[in-house]
Amino acid sequence: MNSRECLFLGCVVLLGLSLGCATTPGDVRLRADGTPLSEKCPEKSLEVMRYLQLFVGEAAWVQLDANQSRARTITLYDGPIESVLDEDIGTLEAPARLYGRVWTGGAQPVIRYYAAKRMRGGDTVPICAVARLGFGQLRKLPESKPGTAVLDSSRAGVYIVDEFR
């Protein structure tokens, strides 16, 4: 077992010990436009991210929707999302899966990730990350209907955070 696998296994054990204390991630109050208010990153997620060497501000590319990877335009819906990590970040190796939630109420979707799972086995571990693109590139296209966000790219940056703002 290499050091990355030992580190990941340690995080899984910590997660298993904390399941009784878990709250529902993404269950936040919304603003009038349907976007989520700030949300603290759970202490257990911060602890696991330290073990996984996922430091605030680190970033990688992600395919926003595992079911629409590499498509020219994609449609995101309010609710759960499964994304695919295109690059390693910390000790989390691509093509790991990221699990989170999408809110489409504002001018651009808000995507928060609460968990990750390595593709080479292992349990799901808690994290805090967001999807972002600069220069307004994550803005919804005009054909977006309520409850959806039509985007002209299937990729975005995923950034590690210590609080959702």
Side-chain angles (χ1 to χ4, degrees):
M1 186 179 296
N2 68 34
S3 62
R4 279 185 181 213
E5 290 170 338
C6 288
L7 186 61
F8 195 77
L9 181 61
C11 292
V12 170
V13 169
L14 283 173
L15 173 64
L17 294 174
S18 69
L19 286 179
C21 305
T23 59
T24 306
D27 188 21
V28 296
R29 292 185 326 196
L30 302 178
R31 295 180 180 92
D33 69 355
T35 58
L37 290 171
S38 348
E39 177 183 12
K40 292 205 176 293
C41 185
E43 193 59 43
K44 188 51 65 180
S45 298
L46 295 171
E47 186 177 338
V48 169
M49 290 189 312
R50 280 191 296 275
Y51 283 114
L52 291 177
Q53 299 175 13
L54 298 172
F55 303 114
V56 173
E58 285 192 303
W61 286 104
V62 66
Q63 292 292 323
L64 289 171
D65 186 340
N67 296 314
Q68 301 180 72
S69 291
R70 310 211 190 286
R72 169 75 178 105
T73 61
I74 64 169
T75 302
L76 300 180
Y77 299 90
D78 284 322
I81 190 166
E82 177 184 356
S83 299
V84 180
L85 193 62
D86 278 346
E87 301 174 323
D88 297 350
I89 186 169
T91 59
L92 195 57
E93 297 173 334
R97 296 293 197 246
L98 301 179
Y99 300 101
R101 180 169 171 91
V102 177
W103 291 267
T104 63
Q108 63 185 40
V110 173
I111 305 168
R112 295 178 177 175
Y113 296 106
Y114 300 101
K117 182 173 180 139
R118 290 179 20 179
M119 293 307 299
R120 294 194 179 120
D123 293 324
T124 302
V125 295
I127 64 165
C128 293
V130 296
R132 292 186 183 136
L133 274 179
F135 306 108
Q137 293 174 314
L138 203 55
R139 291 212 178 270
K140 298 187 313 188
L141 296 177
E143 59 265 27
S144 300
K145 298 196 179 344
T148 70
V150 178
L151 305 175
D152 69 2
S153 177
S154 63
R155 291 181 83 200
V158 63
Y159 291 81
I160 301 301
V161 297
D162 58 1
E163 182 175 344
F164 299 105
R165 295 177 177 88

